């Protein structure tokens, strides 16, 4: 495994590792993620399990560590207990005596108006005194609810070399989907000419009419400029106090804004064809991203020892597969099975099983995401589903074979994915 500082050699006389030490990362992790339905009833979206043993926020935090950024603040708000607990347990390895830390910054009504976080810019503004005390040269603003691998050091190098006031990370998005993003127009040098937040008619990339250049919600600010902008935004009536809607559009043509292409800093394998980035903010997107990892060569490589994903995980025994009779064989094919799982005389195909899942005899699980601590009763059949944490599936329950019945008993997505929760299971027995 490479040391983070070995990744970034001096660039045109600029000591990038030293600049990374003088960068403060702020991870915005306060959102609910309401499109994930009942999965976020008791957890913020960044705390939702992903990829068998991780939480969604682990990817952003791991990007920071692997890039060489070790001063990190995590801004929390909505139902943050499980998120705070996860960070305390899994991310306490940084050394304060070396000025390394992951600091939790919950909404505390710290400012004069005593408001909760009212937008992305306001969330940062309410912690301005804390940020100033850390005295960074650069502030990296990140979202805590996307899945990707990115070397922020390369983005910082471009920010410095182009003498930008703000650098915005961008990704190419099909034009039909771009209205859900901040859409950016740039010149040949990559300077931003226009910034539109979620426009009804997105502007395509010149020469690529089927694509739009969209903001990833990742920004690097020169610190002193950020302070000035946040103070001005806080005093401006009628704004949403949001970086994408208010702060950045107002800077176009006033200060130098630069677009950084994600493909220039995405961490990819030699043979990878896609710069992997996923917003797993809907039931369908969450299911698809997890199931994709079960394929032979998924787009996201979790086995890269040079860019590990760090997390907190239970101390579980290895996964266990028992019984080998023709009608009762414990097996899993094209699947990921985490520690603590027991596949007891059951069949699992093309599925993701998180920690400590029990699949009892004669069960069939296909094309499903089974979250931690689930117990599937004998003879149950689960297909095209997500089963929430801690669910106890009654013997013989069938999900994924009758669309009308699934929709009557559980939440069923537009693409036919059924979300099974313990609350809905309890209602079945009433």
């Amino acid at each position: 495994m490479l040391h983070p500082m070995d990744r970034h050699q001096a660039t045109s006389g600029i000591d990038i590792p030293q600049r990374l030490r003088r960068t403060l990362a702020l991870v915005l992790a306060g959102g609910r993620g309401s499109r994930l339905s009942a999965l976020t009833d008791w957890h913020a979206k960044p705390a939702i399990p992903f990829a068998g043993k991780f939480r969604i926020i682990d990817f952003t935090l791991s990007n920071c560590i692997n890039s060489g950024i070790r001063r990190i603040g995590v801004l929390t708000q909505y139902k943050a207990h499980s998120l705070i607990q996860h960070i305390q347990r899994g991310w306490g390895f940084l050394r304060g005596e070396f000025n390394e830390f992951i600091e939790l910054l919950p909404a505390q009504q710290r400012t004069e108006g005593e408001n909760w976080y009212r937008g992305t810019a306001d969330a940062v503004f309410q912690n301005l005194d804390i940020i100033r005390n850390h005295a960074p040269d650069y502030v990296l603003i990140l979202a805590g609810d996307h899945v990707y691998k990115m070397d922020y050091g390369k983005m910082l190098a471009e920010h410095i070399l182009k003498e930008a006031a703000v650098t915005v990370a961008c990704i190419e998005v099909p034009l039909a989907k771009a209205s859900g993003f901040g859409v950016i127009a740039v010149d040949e040098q990559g300077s931003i000419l226009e910034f539109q937040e979620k426009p009804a008619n997105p502007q395509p990339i010149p020469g690529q009419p089927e694509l739009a250049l969209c903001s990833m919600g990742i920004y690097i600010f020169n610190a002193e400029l950020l302070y000035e902008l946040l103070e001005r935004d806080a005093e401006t009536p009628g704004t949403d106090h949001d970086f994408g809607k208010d702060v950045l559009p107002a800077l176009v043509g006033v200060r130098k804004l630069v677009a950084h292409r994600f493909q220039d800093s995405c961490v990819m394998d030699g043979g990878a064809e896609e710069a992997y980035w996923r917003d797993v903010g809907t039931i369908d997107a969450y299911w698809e991203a997890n199931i994709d990892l079960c394929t032979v060569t998924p787009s996201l490589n979790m086995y890269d020892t040079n860019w590990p994903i760090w997390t907190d995980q239970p101390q579980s025994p290895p996964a266990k597969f028992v019984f080998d009779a023709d009608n009762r064989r414990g097996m899993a094919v094209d699947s990921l099975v985490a520690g603590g799982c027991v596949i007891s005389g059951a069949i699992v195909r093309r599925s993701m099983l998180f920690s400590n899942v029990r699949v009892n005899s004669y069960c069939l699980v296909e094309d499903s995401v089974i979250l931690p601590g689930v117990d599937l009763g004998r003879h149950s059949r689960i297909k095209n589903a997500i089963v929430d944490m801690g669910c106890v599936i009654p013997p013989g329950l069938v999900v994924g074979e009758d669309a009308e019945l699934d929709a009557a008993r559980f939440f069923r997505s537009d693409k036919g994915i059924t979300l099974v929760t313990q609350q809905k299971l309890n209602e079945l027995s009433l």
Side-chain angles (χ1 to χ4, degrees):
M1 175 182 169
L2 293 174
H3 189 279
M5 295 309 172
D6 294 335
R7 307 179 200 280
H8 307 115
Q9 305 301 322
T11 303
S12 298
I14 300 170
D15 187 348
I16 298 301
Q18 183 61 31
R19 299 295 183 98
L20 288 165
R21 294 187 190 98
R22 286 151 47 189
T23 299
L24 176 67
L26 297 176
V27 182
L28 303 177
R32 172 175 178 170
S34 57
R35 294 179 300 160
L36 282 168
S37 187
L39 287 180
T40 52
D41 278 354
W42 299 103
H43 306 276
K45 180 182 171 184
I48 297 300
F50 183 80
K53 60 181 286 187
F54 306 105
R55 306 289 182 112
I56 293 173
I57 197 172
D58 289 329
F59 290 83
T60 299
L61 295 178
S62 295
N63 287 338
C64 289
I65 299 300
N66 293 330
S67 297
I69 297 174
R70 299 199 168 202
R71 299 198 298 163
I72 306 165
V74 180
L75 285 66
T76 66
Q77 181 162 272
Y78 171 82
K79 294 188 178 179
H81 176 71
S82 61
L83 176 60
I84 291 171
Q85 187 179 66
H86 172 72
I87 292 172
Q88 287 175 332
R89 291 177 175 177
W91 290 91
F93 54 83
L94 298 180
R95 304 293 301 201
E97 58 266 38
F98 297 143
N99 198 24
E100 302 174 351
F101 56 82
I102 293 184
E103 212 167 56
L104 288 161
L105 303 172
Q108 301 176 65
Q109 300 182 332
R110 295 170 56 88
T111 52
E112 186 175 335
E114 295 186 350
N115 296 303
W116 298 111
Y117 294 154
R118 297 174 294 170
T120 55
D122 181 62
V124 178
F125 171 73
Q126 290 199 35
N127 292 283
L128 209 51
D129 57 329
I130 296 172
I131 298 167
R132 279 187 163 125
N133 285 340
H134 291 308
D137 290 346
Y138 310 98
V139 179
L140 171 63
I141 308 294
L142 302 166
D145 56 359
H146 298 144
V147 178
Y148 63 107
K149 297 197 297 184
M150 179 177 178
D151 188 343
Y152 302 133
K154 293 183 178 179
M155 181 177 174
L156 180 62
E158 182 176 11
H159 176 84
I160 296 168
L161 287 170
K162 291 189 174 181
E163 298 181 339
V166 184
T167 297
V168 181
C170 301
I171 192 168
E172 295 178 355
V173 173
L175 196 65
K177 298 181 179 180
S179 58
F181 295 81
V183 178
I184 294 171
V186 298
D187 63 17
E188 293 180 356
Q189 288 72 43
S191 294
I192 295 175
L193 303 176
E194 190 175 1
F195 196 110
Q196 295 181 316
E197 182 67 8
K198 298 182 179 180
N201 298 300
Q203 182 176 342
I205 300 172
Q208 296 177 281
E210 74 285 358
L211 297 174
L213 192 62
C214 297
S215 169
M216 299 171 66
I218 298 173
Y219 319 117
I220 294 178
F221 286 85
N222 295 337
E224 292 298 329
L225 172 62
L226 177 64
Y227 307 154
E228 175 189 328
L229 295 173
L230 292 177
E231 288 171 345
R232 184 187 308 161
D233 177 75
E235 295 170 356
T236 302
T239 78
D240 291 308
H241 306 290
D242 186 88
F243 284 114
K245 292 181 182 178
D246 307 301
V247 176
L248 292 174
L251 279 182
V252 175
V254 178
R255 305 297 289 262
K256 186 173 184 180
L257 275 66
V258 170
H260 171 81
R261 301 289 185 121
F262 176 52
Q263 57 261 39
D264 294 337
S265 56
C266 178
V267 178
M268 302 170 63
D269 294 333
E273 298 179 357
E274 175 189 6
Y276 185 96
W277 179 88
R278 295 288 186 274
D279 179 355
V280 290
T282 67
I283 289 295
D284 289 325
Y286 178 79
W287 178 87
E288 288 170 0
N290 275 286
I291 294 299
D292 177 69
L293 295 173
C294 299
T295 60
V296 177
T297 54
S299 301
L300 176 66
N301 180 15
M302 297 189 299
Y303 298 87
D304 182 2
T305 57
N306 287 321
W307 202 271
I309 307 302
W310 307 89
T311 191
D312 169 53
Q313 56 184 315
Q315 298 303 311
S316 303
K320 184 177 183 179
F321 303 80
V322 293
F323 298 113
D324 192 23
D326 287 341
N327 66 338
R328 191 186 182 200
R329 178 170 290 116
M331 59 178 285
V333 181
D334 292 333
S335 300
L336 290 181
V337 181
C341 290
V342 178
I343 314 300
S344 177
I347 297 175
V348 177
R349 296 191 181 102
R350 301 178 302 279
S351 295
M352 172 81 67
L353 271 60
F354 286 72
S355 303
N356 301 317
V357 169
R358 176 97 185 198
V359 188
N360 289 295
S361 292
Y362 312 108
C363 286
L364 175 63
V365 178
E366 291 182 333
D367 303 297
S368 293
V369 178
I370 313 297
L371 296 185
V374 170
D375 189 307
L376 285 84
R378 285 186 168 206
H379 298 282
S380 58
R381 299 197 303 274
I382 309 296
K383 303 178 182 180
N384 297 308
I386 300 169
V387 182
D388 198 10
M389 290 183 278
C391 282
V392 178
I393 302 296
L397 182 73
V398 177
V399 173
E401 297 181 11
D402 185 327
E404 290 187 9
L405 183 60
D406 288 340
R409 298 183 299 179
F410 306 106
F411 173 86
R412 190 174 186 274
S413 74
D414 293 338
K415 293 186 178 180
I417 304 305
T418 303
L419 173 61
V420 179
T421 65
Q422 190 60 50
Q423 179 181 348
K424 292 296 186 180
L425 290 170
N426 291 342
E427 293 173 3
L428 295 181
S429 60
L430 294 179

